Each structure stands twice: as structure tokens, then as C-alpha cells.
Amino acid sequence: MTMPLRILLSALTLIALLAAGAATWLLLVVDPNDFKPRIVDSARRQGVALDIRGELTWRLLPKLGVRIGRTGIRADDDRMPEVDFEALTLSMAWLPLLHGELRLDAVELQGADIRIRSTEQAALVAAAPIAAAPAATAAPAPAAEGLVVAVRSVTVRDARVVLERPAGARVLEHLQLAGRDLILDGTPFPIELEFDYRDPGMPLPIAVVLTAELGVDRQKSRIDARDVQLKLAPEQRPAIEGRFRLQLDGSGETLDITDLELHSAGLDARGELRIAQLRSEPQAMGRLELPAADPRPLLHGWQLPLPPFAAADALSRLGLSTGFEASAQDLRLDQLQLQLDDTRVTGALTARLAAPRALHASLHGDRLDLGRYRGADAKSAGAAPGTALLAPLAGPLAFLQGGSGDLALDWDQLTLDRLRLETLRLRARFAGDGVHVEDLSARTLGGSASLRGALDGLTGGDPSLRFESRAEHIVLAEVRRALAPQLALDGTLELTMAGSARGADAERLQQSLAAQGSFEIADPILAGTNIEQTFCDLVTTVERTEKRNDWPNHSRFDTIAGSLRLAGANVILENLTTGMGNLRLHAAGTLDRATQHYEVLASVRLDGDRTSAEGCTVRSGRLRGRDIPLRCSGTLGKQSRMLCAPDPQFVAGLAGDRALEELRERGKLEGKRGKAVEGLLKGLLNRDRNGD
């Protein structure tokens, strides 16, 4: 061993012996509890009350320090939260100590209970772990009484933080924090944080774990958190794992979150966020993307069971992409893209969140089959197109709360059970407590249908409804296929109607419904009955000819035209006119929508002596050039039935007239006795005709 090396080893041995001796003297001779009064008095002069109930003891390894036992801290004002802890260890760096410098190098807090009552106190607690870290690698200047504060390591174990609020306390339990190599010149240092979070507004506690490489530049007021990994694990629910980078520029008042990735139960999310004007009116902007995936495992994990849909693969793909801008007053979504299974929706939305609220939305969808999302036990339920088409109005109405806005909705194809709507268009305007539907139209049932209307007074107790509707070129065969399987009438329908109703619920609206309209049916064919046959059967009865049995089981009419009224639950048919061959037909009647029963009184008039080229010849003058009443009655729905027959009193009158005519032809009504018999028979027949 060379001489210089022996001298160096001897010097190091001497230093170690001196340090050990100094430490022994310190541990055996100096009692740190003697300093309690001075510590308490110093804190009192700064408006802080210390209640040191535990012992102060020295620590030698791994660093020289002092351990403060159970202590309570209270401030004279609200600048500091209430703090109680089981132990606080303050450790000094050994190397500076050999040069005679007391440098506070590490802090370890055990079993702290911190109660926060204001935002200012919360900010103070959040900044505390790094507040005493050195601002640079150079040795910091000594503080009061020669103590240098340059904390490079912070450890918090089993702490509890309570944020007291009027709605209930928010609690962070079992809090663990570890940070080492702390320096506030922007150099990254590792930090680890975990705690259990409880909130009265959340049904389940959440375990939070966070790690990051944190760079803090105190001089430039900047924070750069790289490789931030966050895990949120609600109790007995799928965990949410995230990774991102966070940059805070205090002087520029901006916060940027980039490279954001979230994962939970098979669903992923990506995005970025910037918040500007942090100290005044924060403005957020960014983008969010959820690649299409199956959301059902996540919903199942959160115990949000879905009903058994009619389609087994319903809601198996869900995706979202949108840019956004938001503040406390406004929200904007642009380049919005939503995917639901095979359906895609695009559009934009702007909303004012502060009162008075406002909303402007424009959406376009391609194809949607609502029947896939019916409950499996409701497959056979009838379609309710009115309710489904007006459903998009409910959300804006609930959000606006008396504000104003507009909605533009376009859909390429919408299917409601068997009803298919194409090029669906909805334009609605919201104002105060009402909504005005400026256009609700679609191509459907072989033609087109449109509706305009207004619903006012929604916030009062007696809202009112006004509407105008039109249907053009509606093919009744399509109506039968999609909506009314028992419909017996074919043809092409044109319909206009306008009306109103008033009431706070569906029943009152139904009772007060009043509407007037007109209709026309081209090329009509009525299945199940033959009006010409009914007329010709009457002819055979009067003329005593043989009945035909080769009539078709339908009636082919000329164009049907007429008017109708809606009065509560009743549909009142007025002034229907049509014809077939040489027969002219007028009708009026009533349909009870509640019972589906209808009664129609028609009159048939023959112009000429033959009903049609394929019909019957009529010789009797009693059946030509006069209105012959027919009564039709029946029910709609699954048990539909219809019966049309000549009015019984009219038939009885014809039979009586025919009997009198035959008696005259046989000479039975001649003379005084014959005249008396004829008078008696006429009296009896007239009484029957009058229903006596």
C-alpha cells in the first residue's frame, strides 16, 4: 500500500470516528425534547398552534435526523388546514453536515389526518410535497438559524385527507406518496402516489394509483409530467387504465394533456386536451376518439344489464370521434362521428350551458333499424311511428329548460318494424316553453308524408298542440304490409289534415283532439265485399229473379273522395263519394278508435238500367234513379269483419210495394172491398217503414 493511500485511509477513519463520536454525544447528551418549548413558541409567533403530544427522538441511520411523535397543528386563521399526524421524521444530509452545514434533505410523514375546508387550503396541501425541494443543483442559501432546506426525498405513509363540503365530505384514505431526487429546475424526478377515494356523489370507492416522471421548473412556473400512468379501480368494477403527458405553463396559463390513452374492459379511448386562461375563464379544446368496440363487457362489469334485444348482436359495436371546445358557459362539438353497430351518424353541436340556455344541432345518419333494439318480448308489438319520430325532441327540450335552439336531423333510412322511412327530414325550433316542428317529412309506403306543427305551454299545466299533415301517393297495399295487416282497401291515398288538441297527458290530448281533413283514393279496391253484388241481390229480391253466384269477392270503385273529422276518439267520415259502373255511392260514418268498431251508412243510386257491363239488368223503376240505403258495420284489427246489406226497412218497403202490385195485377184490389184492403196494407207497410 502506497503512503498517500495510507494517509487517505487514515484520514477517512479519523473522520468516521469523529462523526461516530459526535453522533454518540448527540444521542446520549442532548435530549431533543428540551427544544419543545422553543419550537412551540416559534410556531405561536407565526400564528400556528403546535400540540406536540409525542416524543422527539434522534435518528442516526440511514441519515441523521429527528423524529417528532404525535402532533396536532392548528392555524389562527383559515390559511392552513387542520393537521394531525402520528410521526414526522426530518433527516439531514451527511456530507454537508461534515462541513458544518445543517441541510434538511428528507421528510417522512406517517399517519397524517388532514382536514381541508377551502380551495386555498387544498392548493397549499397539493404543493406541500415539493415546496421545500431545491430550485437547482447548486447548494441553496441557508435559512434562519443556519438551517438549509433542500428536501430531495418526500415520503407520506398511510395518510388521510378530508375535503369538507356542504354536500358531504370527499375522503382520500390510505394515501401513500413517494418522491426522490427532487429538484425544481425542470429535471425529471420519479413520483408515486396511491390512495382510496370516497365521494358521497359516487356509489363506490375508487382505488387510485399514479406514477410519473415529474419535471418542475420553479423559476419558469412550468410542470412537465412525462409517462404519466394512472389506474382507477372502482370497487368490484372494471379498472380504468390511462397513460398521458401533462404540461402546465403557469406564466402562459395553459395546461396541455397529450398522448392520452385510456383502456377499460376492451374499450379504448385516445385524445388530447388544452385548457387556456387557467386563472380567469378556463377554455378547453381538444379531440376525443373511441375506436369502435363492444361495450357490453364494460356495461356488464359495471352491473348495468341490457335488456334482451330482438337482435342478439344489437349494441355490439360502439364508436365515437369528435373535436370539442368547452367553457363554463359554452360547449361545441365539431366533426362529430358516432357509430352504433352498422349505423353511422355525423354532425356538429353547439350549446350554451349558462342561462338562458341555447342549443344548435345538425346531425345526419345513414341507416338505422330500431326494431333491432326492441326488447325480445316485444318483437310482435305494433309500430309507433309518431312516438319514435318525435323522440329526438325530448332531449333538447329537457336540456334547454325554457331556452332557445334548433335541430336539423336528416336520416337516409329509418326502419320501425315493417315501416321504412327514407330521406327522413326533421327541422325543429325551440323557444321558451314550446317547440315548433317546421318540417317532418319522409318518403314512405310508396309515397311521401309530411307534418308541421307546434307544441306550446309545456311548462304550464295545459299544453296545446297544433298540426298540419299531408300524405301523397301512399300505396295502401304498403300500409297493409307495414302497419295494418287487416286493411281490406287497396289503392293510392292522398290525405290532408289539420287539427289541434290540449292536455297535460296523452289521455287528455286524445279526448280534446279536433281535426278536419280531406282525402282521395285512386284505383280503390275493397276486398271482402262486393257492393254491386249487394245491389243486384236486392234486385233479384224485388224482381224475383235468380241470383248469380259468380261475383268476385271485392268491389272495384271509381276514385273515392271525401272529408273526415277527428273528434276525440272518433273518426267521423263525411261526404264520401265514389262509384262503380253505373252505380253512384255516397257515404258517411263513424269509427271508434278505442273499440275499432265502425258504422257506415251509404246510399247507392243507379243511373240507367244496368249496374255495369258485367253486372245485372234492372227492370224495376223502384231501383233506378233513386238513393237506396246500405248499412256497413264491422271491426278493425286482428278480428276484423265487415257486413254490408241494404237497409232492412227499405227492403221491407220494396217487398210491400211488390206485393201490392201483384195484388192489383190479379184484380184483388178492385171495388170497395179491394180499396179497403189496399188501404189497410199500406197502413201496415208504412208503420213498418217508420219502425213502429
Side-chain angles (χ1 to χ4, degrees):
M1 183 179 295
T2 61
M3 183 61 68
L5 185 55
R6 290 179 179 177
I7 294 173
L8 178 59
L9 290 176
S10 299
L12 292 175
T13 302
L14 179 60
I15 291 173
L17 291 173
L18 290 174
T24 302
W25 176 82
L26 183 67
L27 293 172
L28 297 177
V29 177
V30 179
D31 185 358
N33 290 285
D34 295 339
F35 295 97
K36 275 187 181 181
R38 292 178 58 186
I39 296 172
V40 172
D41 184 62
S42 176
R44 185 182 296 112
R45 289 197 299 268
Q46 300 180 52
V48 177
L50 291 182
D51 180 13
I52 305 176
R53 299 184 294 276
E55 295 292 321
L56 276 64
T57 57
W58 295 113
R59 288 189 60 181
L60 182 60
L61 295 174
K63 295 182 180 180
L64 178 64
V66 62
R67 181 181 184 277
I68 304 173
R70 183 176 299 177
T71 299
I73 304 175
R74 304 291 186 272
D76 294 343
D77 50 29
D78 292 333
R79 56 182 171 159
M80 290 178 57
E82 294 182 4
V83 179
D84 293 277
F85 58 80
E86 293 294 326
L88 174 64
T89 302
L90 307 175
S91 300
M92 306 297 174
W94 273 111
L95 189 58
L97 187 62
L98 297 177
H99 295 286
E101 178 184 292
L102 293 175
R103 181 181 297 183
L104 181 60
D105 180 69
V107 174
E108 180 178 334
L109 181 63
Q110 176 75 32
D113 191 338
I114 304 171
R115 292 189 169 272
I116 299 173
R117 293 186 172 86
S118 67
T119 304
E120 293 76 13
Q121 292 181 1
L124 179 65
V125 172
I130 61 172
T137 54
E145 301 181 5
L147 176 64
V148 175
V149 178
V151 177
R152 298 293 301 274
S153 174
V154 174
T155 304
V156 178
R157 303 183 190 279
D158 199 24
R160 182 173 184 266
V161 180
V162 180
L163 292 82
E164 297 184 351
R165 303 174 67 88
R170 300 176 180 177
V171 182
L172 283 68
E173 295 182 309
H174 312 301
L175 189 148
Q176 317 287 333
L177 173 66
R180 64 182 187 277
D181 302 327
L182 276 62
I183 186 168
L184 305 186
D185 63 353
T187 303
F189 56 86
I191 188 168
E192 299 176 3
L193 172 67
E194 61 179 90
F195 56 85
D196 293 334
Y197 179 68
R198 297 179 182 273
D199 189 320
M202 302 177 65
L204 300 170
I206 301 176
V208 180
V209 179
L210 181 144
T211 63
E213 291 291 324
L214 184 63
V216 180
D217 192 326
R218 177 181 290 172
Q219 185 176 4
K220 296 181 180 179
S221 300
R222 291 181 180 175
I223 296 177
D224 186 356
R226 303 179 183 179
D227 193 23
V228 180
Q229 298 189 44
L230 175 66
K231 181 177 181 180
L232 306 176
E235 188 177 73
Q236 298 180 351
R237 298 294 187 272
I240 303 172
E241 299 181 358
R243 173 176 291 185
F244 55 91
R245 180 177 181 180
L246 182 148
Q247 295 172 292
L248 173 64
D249 186 345
S251 58
E253 299 185 45
T254 60
L255 171 67
D256 290 280
I257 296 178
T258 57
D259 303 325
L260 174 64
E261 297 180 2
L262 299 174
H263 312 276
S264 182
L267 289 183
D268 299 331
R270 299 188 292 265
E272 56 187 27
L273 169 68
R274 160 165 278 217
I275 303 178
Q277 303 178 34
L278 289 173
R279 294 193 183 97
S280 53
E281 298 180 358
Q283 305 282 333
M285 62 194 71
R287 185 156 194 85
L288 177 64
E289 180 180 354
L290 281 73
D294 189 347
R296 293 175 296 182
L298 179 64
L299 296 174
H300 178 75
W302 278 89
Q303 299 181 14
L304 299 172
L306 294 173
F309 292 124
D313 60 345
L315 200 61
S316 61
R317 301 288 290 176
L318 180 65
L320 173 68
S321 176
T322 184
F324 61 87
E325 297 180 10
S327 67
Q329 292 79 30
D330 300 285
L331 170 67
R332 177 177 180 177
L333 303 179
D334 56 15
Q335 299 179 14
L336 173 65
Q337 299 181 39
L338 173 66
Q339 179 179 348
L340 175 63
D341 295 331
D342 295 329
T343 301
R344 286 172 172 79
V345 181
T346 60
L349 179 150
T350 60
R352 178 171 178 79
L353 307 179
R357 291 186 172 183
L359 175 68
H360 306 279
S362 176
L363 301 172
H364 175 268
D366 54 7
R367 295 170 180 266
L368 176 62
D369 183 356
L370 292 177
R372 289 168 45 82
Y373 304 97
R374 285 188 180 275
D377 57 350
K379 270 185 159 182
S380 60
T387 302
L389 293 178
L390 295 177
L393 303 178
L397 280 170
F399 166 77
L400 287 171
Q401 298 179 358
S404 61
D406 54 76
L407 171 64
L409 177 63
D410 294 279
W411 216 278
D412 294 341
Q413 186 181 102
L414 185 68
T415 303
L416 308 169
D417 291 331
R418 295 186 179 90
L419 177 64
R420 176 174 294 179
L421 307 172
E422 296 179 336
T423 61
L424 174 66
R425 173 185 170 91
L426 173 62
R427 298 293 184 270
R429 182 167 45 85
F430 306 89
D433 62 352
V435 55
H436 293 244
V437 178
E438 298 176 345
D439 183 17
L440 174 57
S441 58
R443 289 194 294 110
T444 184
L445 301 173
S448 63
S450 62
L451 171 72
R452 299 179 60 187
L455 186 59
D456 297 309
L458 292 172
T459 58
D462 194 27
S464 62
L465 168 69
R466 306 186 312 276
F467 66 91
E468 298 176 6
S469 61
R470 176 181 293 273
E472 298 177 304
H473 309 299
I474 299 299
V475 179
L476 295 182
E478 290 294 312
V479 176
R480 178 169 56 251
R481 179 192 62 79
L483 300 175
Q486 305 302 323
L487 180 64
L489 184 63
D490 280 336
T492 303
L493 171 69
E494 309 282 334
L495 171 69
T496 61
M497 182 165 289
S500 63
R502 182 180 295 274
D505 52 44
E507 182 178 355
R508 294 180 184 177
L509 287 171
Q510 173 90 329
Q511 292 173 350
S512 64
L513 177 61
Q516 185 81 37
S518 61
F519 64 92
E520 184 176 289
I521 303 175
D523 301 321
I525 299 176
L526 179 64
T529 189
N530 191 315
I531 301 298
E532 187 176 14
Q533 178 188 6
T534 301
F535 185 87
C536 289
D537 286 348
L538 177 62
V539 172
T540 60
T541 300
V542 173
E543 298 183 353
R544 296 187 178 182
T545 57
E546 186 176 351
K547 288 186 178 182
R548 286 174 49 184
N549 297 317
D550 58 348
W551 294 99
N553 191 29
H554 63 266
S555 298
R556 187 181 297 274
F557 295 103
D558 299 333
T559 297
I560 298 175
S563 59
L564 55 84
R565 290 188 298 113
L566 302 181
N570 292 325
V571 180
I572 302 172
L573 176 65
E574 300 176 330
N575 194 29
L576 181 147
T577 61
T578 186
M580 53 189 310
N582 295 323
L583 294 173
R584 301 294 97 195
L585 188 144
H586 295 77
T590 301
L591 165 67
D592 187 333
R593 288 186 293 157
T595 63
Q596 297 288 290
H597 180 76
Y598 62 87
E599 292 279 351
V600 177
L601 177 61
S603 62
V604 181
R605 186 183 187 92
L606 174 62
D607 295 330
D609 58 2
R610 191 175 185 87
T611 57
S612 68
E614 296 79 18
C616 61
T617 301
V618 181
R619 295 189 301 272
S620 173
R622 297 183 182 87
L623 300 177
R624 298 197 304 264
R626 63 182 297 184
D627 292 333
I628 299 176
L630 296 177
R631 290 186 180 274
C632 296
S633 62
T635 57
L636 303 177
K638 294 182 178 180
Q639 304 297 325
S640 64
R641 58 181 179 83
M642 179 173 60
L643 174 64
C644 286
D647 182 75
Q649 295 180 9
F650 178 79
V651 174
L654 286 178
D657 291 342
R658 178 62 178 169
L660 289 173
E661 185 177 343
E662 290 186 357
L663 289 174
R664 288 193 195 97
E665 292 175 353
R666 297 176 182 179
K668 301 296 184 180
L669 299 179
E670 296 178 354
K672 292 183 179 180
R673 180 177 294 180
K675 296 296 182 183
V677 171
E678 182 178 0
L680 177 61
L681 290 174
K682 286 183 177 180
L684 292 173
L685 292 173
N686 286 332
R687 188 174 66 177
D688 289 340
R689 291 174 185 176
N690 295 330
D692 296 333

